[in-house]
Amino acid sequence: MLRRLLPMLVALLLGLVGLTWGLGYLHRIFATERDDARRSLESRREALEQYARASLAQSLRDRLEAAKPSLEAAVADPLAPAPGLYLRERGGQVLPRLALHDTGGQAPASERYARLRAGTEVADDQEDPWAERLVRTRAVETALARGDRRASTVALMALLQHRSQYVLASTRDVPGFLVVLEALAERGDPVPQLMHALVRDGLADGKGGRLDGLQRLLLSRRSRFTPADFQFLLERVATLSAKVGAPVEDFVSRARELAASPLPLPEMLPGPVLVRAGWYLEPRGGNQVRGVAVDSGALLESLTKEMRERGLLDAEGTVGLLGDAAVLSLDALPLSVVTPEWAKAETALERRYRLKTGMVVVCAGLALGIAVLAFLAQHRKYRFLELKSDFVATVSHELRTPLASIRLLAETLEWRLAEGTDARDYPSRIVREADGLGFLVENLLSFNRIDKGRWVPRLEPVRLEELVSLLRRDLEGWSKAPVEWEVAVGELSLRADAHLLRLLLSNLARNACAYNTRNPVRLRVEALPGGRVRFSDNGVGIPPKDWERVFGEFVRLQGQGREVPGSGLGLALCRRIMRLHGGDLRVVASSPEGTTFELSFPPTATT
């Protein structure tokens, strides 16, 4: 049989190899599609992140550019507000403004102010510009004391001209100028515009420069004073400003805004950076760093809104900063663009890939199953042909043997009768052979009808004891060895097809006689509760591994070294008869001392 199956087996293997290659190639295509789709999603994410990075960077640059006029004004004018502005030059912080006061323990400015008010201030060197300044200061005070407006104006102009020519120490210049302006406000009749200019706005010096007003002068030279001097002068200037009607709120605010220490921002910058503390810094030439305060969260929200309006993000998409680094380079901002649509797309992509992979696996399984089924079908076909051949040979042999015996006996009987010889046992022997031939034919026909489903059992009450009595008479003329019966069925009556049930018991009994080496043959029929009937013999037994196989078609066991006649359909026919009645037949015990079969009838079949 293997030689017959070899071509088909080779064809199936080649087909499976080709199919495996094709399915593997298809799976690679699906994997490539998934990877391409993932790369497409990743490219879109990277493009959006690049857009967000460029947009955020441009927004930061625009903010700094928009703050440039304010920053330049704050540098040039100490009264200009500088909220959210940063400037560092030559390693020192310019904005936000710092309270860089003199750390000396004395208060020279306030002391000099007191001496100037008392008229006791003197110069150490008469050729010192400070001596000239004192002369001009006293000239203004003297003119004011006389009430000579013209003289006071001339003296004041001379003082201002001296201030434009000589730059004195702030601890001298500011207190001296403050005393003159206080005297002018107290004793003279100052022009409001002039006083405003002297106290706050400043005056042109006629040389293209400008003399700062007292407020700007004090704020710009704050580092020259001790904290006590600065606070003292601040209060005096504020009082003077209020007295002459000059704005004072921004002056006081600028003084209060002075920071005690520089902002903790990085010293070295590789380029424009975003500081998580809330600053955008941009290095410039000349060791200068400019910056502006920013709200990263608000900027990201604004950017998210813009991208939603442009259709780049869905309603739930967001833009955020990744990581926890304190300083972020503007050229490589770790932005993350997140949207649920991408997660859904990736999930759907993975789901489709798993589905396609599952289909490939199912196809492979189906192909393998089909190949196995095809092989089994071909194997079954050749097995059937072999069984058919064996069956034909067996049946031919079984038919030939009784037919030959009948012919031989009939010829012998004819010859003996012609010779006048005794031949009384020959008719009985002819009948026995004919009976065996008829039983074989009946088994074949019954098996065929039941197997094709063309036998409809005629169910009627059948007394088991009467059926066994008929079976006893059948065996008396067929068995070569004497048969002893033991029947314990009582009054059991079964609702069954009498002909089929007799055929079943007859097959069991003939097998018990055929597969038996003892004399006499002992058979026992016993009825048990629950519609069970046991049939026992003292034959050669059935090996445990063959208890189920013996009910197969054309299965014949060895008969203790001798050939046992039969077609191999007896037990298969018996099981089919039982199942036709809704019951079953099985081996419950077997040994070299005999075999016991159990017939299980449905409860409705017993009466």
Side-chain angles (χ1 to χ4, degrees), residues 356-389:
K356 292 177 180 179
T357 302
M359 292 176 62
V360 170
V361 173
V362 170
C363 289
L366 288 176
L368 183 60
I370 292 173
V372 171
L373 290 176
F375 178 78
L376 293 178
Q378 194 71 6
H379 180 272
R380 187 178 180 85
K381 173 184 175 182
Y382 287 124
R383 177 61 180 166
F384 175 76
L385 292 177
E386 287 185 354
L387 291 176
K388 179 181 178 182
S389 178

Side-chain angles (χ1 to χ4, degrees), residues 71 128 170 207 216 242 361 398 413 430 459 469 480 527 559 582:
L71 189 146
D128 187 12
S170 299
K207 299 179 182 180
R216 288 185 172 86
V361 173
E398 294 299 322
L413 176 61
I430 292 174
L459 302 179
S469 297
K480 297 179 180 179

Side-chain angles (χ1 to χ4, degrees), residues 19-199:
L19 182 62
T20 301
W21 180 86
L23 292 176
Y25 187 76
L26 184 62
H27 182 263
R28 286 197 297 273
I29 291 176
F30 293 154
T32 302
E33 290 179 351
R34 179 194 61 178
D35 295 340
D36 290 343
R38 281 181 174 174
R39 281 193 291 270
S40 177
L41 287 174
E42 190 63 28
S43 297
R44 185 183 177 194
R45 181 185 291 109
E46 290 177 357
L48 287 180
E49 289 177 354
Q50 184 65 28
Y51 173 85
R53 189 176 297 111
S55 180
L56 182 59
Q58 189 60 44
S59 297
L60 292 172
R61 294 191 187 98
D62 292 344
R63 289 210 171 197
L64 182 57
E65 189 65 25
K68 182 178 179 181
S70 300
L71 189 146
E72 293 176 350
V75 172
D77 184 1
L79 287 176
L85 299 177
Y86 181 83
L87 177 64
R88 187 172 67 212
E89 291 181 331
R90 294 181 293 277
Q93 178 177 307
V94 178
L95 296 176
R97 301 181 180 96
L98 296 174
L100 302 176
H101 301 303
D102 188 358
T103 58
Q106 299 178 354
S110 57
E111 292 173 358
R112 181 168 282 112
Y113 172 83
R115 292 196 299 270
L116 287 170
R117 291 285 292 184
T120 59
E121 175 68 13
V122 293
D124 297 333
D125 187 355
Q126 294 302 318
E127 295 181 357
D128 187 12
W130 175 239
E132 297 178 5
R133 180 72 58 84
L134 288 176
V135 172
R136 286 166 174 75
T137 300
R138 290 191 179 104
V140 174
E141 291 177 344
T142 300
L144 290 174
R146 294 197 310 265
D148 190 346
R149 182 172 183 181
R150 182 176 179 278
S152 62
T153 302
V154 172
L156 179 61
M157 291 299 108
L159 176 63
L160 294 177
Q161 185 178 7
H162 189 273
R163 287 190 71 243
S164 67
Q165 290 179 349
Y166 298 98
V167 178
L168 301 180
S170 299
T171 55
R172 292 179 175 180
D173 183 39
V174 174
F177 195 37
L178 174 61
V179 168
V180 170
L181 294 183
E182 286 179 341
L184 187 62
E186 292 172 359
R187 304 173 188 175
D189 185 13
V191 178
Q193 292 81 359
L194 178 61
M195 289 302 295
H196 281 198
L198 295 176
V199 173

Side-chain angles (χ1 to χ4, degrees), residues 413-525:
L413 176 61
E414 181 182 14
W415 176 74
R416 290 201 173 192
L417 290 177
E419 294 292 328
T421 308
D422 185 18
R424 286 176 295 178
D425 63 330
Y426 275 66
S428 62
R429 292 171 63 185
I430 292 174
V431 170
R432 185 169 60 249
E433 294 294 337
D435 180 62
L437 180 61
F439 185 76
L440 175 62
V441 172
E442 184 178 8
N443 268 1
L444 292 175
L445 293 177
S446 299
F447 182 86
N448 183 64
R449 290 179 62 187
I450 294 175
D451 188 56
K452 299 298 182 181
R454 294 199 296 263
W455 192 307
V456 179
R458 299 175 58 184
L459 302 179
E460 56 186 5
V462 178
R463 293 189 69 248
L464 190 57
E465 186 177 6
E466 294 180 358
L467 203 61
V468 173
S469 297
L470 295 175
L471 182 60
R472 182 187 290 115
R473 289 199 298 269
D474 291 342
L475 286 182
E476 286 178 356
W478 181 84
S479 178
K480 297 179 180 179
V483 179
E484 294 184 357
W485 286 85
E486 182 179 354
V487 180
V489 297
E491 299 297 325
L492 178 63
S493 179
L494 300 172
R495 184 172 178 77
D497 189 310
H499 179 76
L500 290 178
L501 195 56
R502 181 179 178 183
L503 184 62
L504 185 153
L505 295 176
S506 180
N507 270 287
L508 293 178
R510 288 174 183 254
N511 278 348
C513 295
Y515 290 90
N516 205 315
T517 58
R518 294 181 176 86
N519 193 346
V521 175
R522 291 189 175 87
L523 302 179
R524 173 179 172 83
V525 181

